[in-house]
Amino acid sequence: MTGVELDFAPPHPGAYLREDVLPEIGMTVTDLAAHLGVTRVTMSTLIHERRDLSMEMAQRLGQALGNGPRFWLALQMQHDLWHAQRNSGIDVKPIETPKDKKRK
């Protein structure tokens, strides 16, 4: 792994919705689902982290909350990448370029 590594998983978008967004906007899961045009079950499975955020849901949330779909997709990507890096077992050495070899 490279770059800044976190010791803890970035939050799932559902956790962010559950812990921060819903209390702030004063809506229930049912209210938010109705506003977004999805079923309560769809919203509930996302909020309880049993479903990953889809492109469509990112668009709906981004439009409704005014922060755009990229915000929501970035949350999902960060969460997924953190888990993938710890569970994949992939260990590939960096490629040495001719420029790298000259430095040695």
Side-chain angles (χ1 to χ4, degrees), residues 5 14 24-26 36-37 50-52 57 61 63 65 71-72 74 76 78 82 86 96-97 101 104:
E5 300 300 328
E24 180 66 27
I25 63 176
L36 296 177
R50 293 190 299 265
R51 170 187 298 221
D52 289 339
M57 184 61 78
L61 288 168
Q63 288 175 14
L65 299 170
F71 172 82
W72 295 98
Q76 185 67 57
Q78 291 166 358
W82 188 91
R86 278 145 187 82
E96 280 192 52
T97 66
K101 291 175 184 178
K104 289 184 176 182

Side-chain angles (χ1 to χ4, degrees), residues 3-50:
V4 177
E5 300 300 328
L6 299 176
D7 292 333
F8 54 91
H12 185 278
Y16 183 71
L17 283 167
R18 182 181 67 246
E19 301 296 324
D20 297 322
V21 175
L22 287 177
E24 180 66 27
I25 63 176
M27 293 179 96
T28 66
V29 173
T30 303
D31 295 336
L32 183 57
H35 185 86
L36 296 177
V38 299
T39 67
R40 185 193 186 290
V41 171
T42 296
M43 196 77 249
S44 181
T45 57
L46 175 62
I47 285 178
H48 291 98
E49 304 175 46
R50 293 190 299 265

Side-chain angles (χ1 to χ4, degrees), residues 6-10 77-87:
L6 299 176
D7 292 333
F8 54 91
M77 184 269 311
Q78 291 166 358
H79 178 80
D80 291 348
L81 185 57
W82 188 91
H83 286 284
Q85 287 178 316
R86 278 145 187 82
N87 299 320

